[in-house]
């Protein structure tokens, strides 16, 4: 269905849907990255927005200084992301539970205020990018080409994660969710596996940030705000934690509801005005209902109903 969106958009004469679904897939990519540590490793991170913002700012800062080579953007973003995620992971993984959540949140907010202070790069207002990353034969200035680059990245990450979570690495990671102490007693490299999973999940979010910067042609500190991390958690929970496709479904559904509620129109002016003015509150109530009623997420409910394994 996602692969056919540009085709339907062309025949409908509505290019807006290509951009809208591109944004959905970018956040689906980030939610999939978060799901690796939260869904399979039971490490609830409230700071993965940091890596989305990092990827976006690497693209923006290099473009600001006249460097438009996309391969250099990608290499720099992944390199900086790997170094930063490794250092943060070494600190965060010393804590568990609420401590882990708060430390990841603290790091994300620290970098958020750091980029706000960078007045030469727009400060709190952010700044625009004149051109998208130049990958040579891959012309990202064409929205359809960019769409399929995002689509290809998402499907590749899903395939890699599928192989990863069913390999020995994934078995150890999932075992940490159940009984970490027993795995350590068996001599499993628990700390190394958790750190690797954290870095991999961060790099997927860095990729999402690189793609987001190219989609919007705009860089903002808001990409690093804790609210974005909260959205990623909701997307993963809504679709189904610990499932491969769940975060993708959750991201698409969550952003669809966000778009529908912010432009709500059923012909009843009082209701329309109320929902459009308070759509965040309505969305919050929906998130609360999901947390209370859909503990296995939408994809988890579907697979349970049809007797399939997530």
């Amino acid at each position: 269905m996602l692969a056919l969106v540009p085709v339907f958009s062309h025949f409908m004469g509505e290019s807006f849907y290509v951009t809208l679904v591109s944004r959905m897939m970018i956040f689906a990519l980030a939610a999939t990255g978060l799901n690796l540590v939260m869904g399979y490793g039971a490490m609830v991170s409230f700071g993965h927005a940091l890596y989305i913002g990092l990827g976006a700012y690497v693209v923006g800062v290099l473009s600001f200084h006249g460097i438009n080579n996309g391969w250099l953007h990608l290499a720099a973003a992944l390199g900086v992301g790997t170094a930063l995620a490794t250092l943060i992971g070494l600190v965060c993984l010393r804590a568990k539970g609420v401590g882990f959540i708060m430390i990841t949140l603290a790091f994300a907010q620290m970098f958020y205020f750091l980029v706000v202070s960078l007045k030469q790069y727009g400060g709190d207002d952010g700044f625009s990018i004149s051109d998208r990353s130049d990958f040579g034969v891959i012309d990202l200035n064409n929205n359809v080409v960019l769409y399929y680059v995002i689509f290809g990245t998402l499907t590749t990450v899903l395939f890699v994660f599928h192989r990863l979570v069913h390999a020995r690495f994934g078995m150890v990671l999932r075992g940490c969710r159940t009984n970490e102490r027993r795995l350590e007693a068996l001599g499993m490299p628990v700390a190394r596996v958790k750190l690797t999973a954290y870095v991999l999940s961060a790099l997927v979010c860095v990729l999402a940030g690189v793609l987001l910067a190219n989609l919007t042609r705009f860089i903002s500190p808001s990409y690093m705000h804790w609210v974005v991390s909260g959205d990623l958690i909701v997307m993963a929970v809504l679709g189904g934690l610990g499932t491969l496709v769940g975060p993708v479904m959750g991201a698409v559904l969550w952003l669809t509801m966000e778009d529908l509620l912010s432009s709500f129109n059923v012909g009843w002016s009082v209701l329309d005005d109320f929902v459009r003015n308070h759509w965040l509150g309505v969305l919050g109530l929906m998130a609360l209902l999901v947390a209370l009623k859909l503990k296995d997420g939408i994809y988890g409910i579907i697979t349970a109903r049809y007797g399939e394994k997530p």
Side-chain angles (χ1 to χ4, degrees):
M1 290 176 64
L2 290 174
L4 293 174
V5 167
V7 178
F8 288 119
S9 178
H10 174 73
F11 283 110
M12 293 172 63
E14 294 287 350
S15 59
F16 162 74
Y17 291 112
V18 172
T19 303
L20 176 64
V21 181
S22 293
R23 181 171 177 266
M24 290 179 179
M25 289 194 296
I26 288 172
F27 279 95
L29 181 65
T32 300
L34 175 62
N35 183 56
L36 180 65
V37 293
M38 189 170 75
Y40 292 105
M43 295 177 278
V44 183
S45 170
F46 223 104
H48 266 53
L50 160 63
Y51 302 109
I52 297 177
L54 178 66
Y57 264 88
V58 168
V59 173
V61 170
L62 290 178
S63 298
F64 182 84
H65 292 286
I67 303 173
N68 292 319
N69 187 294
W71 300 110
L72 185 57
H73 288 179
L74 187 60
L78 293 178
V80 175
T82 300
L84 187 61
T86 301
L87 292 174
I88 292 177
L90 287 171
V91 175
C92 293
L93 292 174
R94 297 176 67 87
K96 297 179 181 179
V98 176
F100 181 84
I101 297 172
M102 296 307 296
I103 294 175
T104 56
L105 174 61
F107 272 112
Q109 288 301 100
M110 180 173 65
F111 278 91
Y112 167 76
F113 287 111
L114 173 64
V115 295
V116 166
S117 68
L118 299 176
K119 302 303 180 184
Q120 64 270 38
Y121 301 120
D124 194 30
D125 296 324
F127 63 99
S128 298
I129 303 175
S130 58
D131 295 306
R132 287 173 174 165
S133 300
D134 182 9
F135 285 93
V137 295
I138 305 174
D139 183 15
L140 297 188
N141 289 304
N142 185 319
N143 286 336
V144 175
V145 173
L146 177 59
Y147 180 94
Y148 281 114
V149 168
I150 297 169
F151 175 74
T153 304
L154 176 61
T155 52
T156 301
V157 168
L158 288 173
F159 173 74
V160 171
F161 276 15
H162 171 73
R163 298 298 300 270
L164 196 64
V165 299
H166 289 93
R168 183 174 181 271
F169 173 89
M171 297 298 181
V172 174
L173 183 62
R174 284 188 279 177
C176 293
R177 181 177 59 184
T178 306
N179 196 325
E180 183 176 334
R181 184 173 296 179
R182 178 174 293 178
L183 287 176
E184 290 176 340
L186 291 172
M188 296 295 179
V190 173
R192 188 165 69 243
V193 167
K194 289 175 69 175
L195 178 60
T196 303
Y198 182 85
V199 173
L200 287 175
S201 70
L203 291 181
V204 172
C205 288
V206 168
L207 273 177
V210 170
L211 294 170
L212 184 61
N214 279 282
L215 177 67
T216 62
R217 297 190 187 186
F218 183 76
I219 309 300
S220 172
S222 62
Y223 296 162
M224 291 187 178
H225 200 266
W226 66 268
V227 172
V228 177
S229 295
D231 284 343
L232 294 181
I233 292 174
V234 172
M235 290 172 191
V237 173
L238 177 61
L241 282 174
T243 64
L244 194 66
V245 184
V248 178
M249 295 181 65
V252 171
L253 182 57
W254 183 252
L255 293 177
T256 298
M257 291 191 299
E258 180 182 288
D259 183 68
L260 291 175
L261 290 174
S262 61
S263 58
F264 192 78
N265 185 12
V266 295
W268 186 9
S269 60
V270 176
L271 179 61
D272 291 346
D273 291 340
F274 177 81
V275 174
R276 283 198 295 265
N277 292 329
H278 305 285
W279 66 271
L280 280 171
V282 178
L283 202 61
L285 289 175
M286 290 183 176
L288 182 62
L289 290 174
V290 167
L292 294 175
K293 299 296 183 181
L294 302 179
K295 295 182 179 180
D296 295 325
I298 294 173
Y299 185 69
I301 291 174
I302 293 173
T303 53
R305 180 175 180 178
Y306 292 99
E308 301 174 359
K309 293 184 178 180

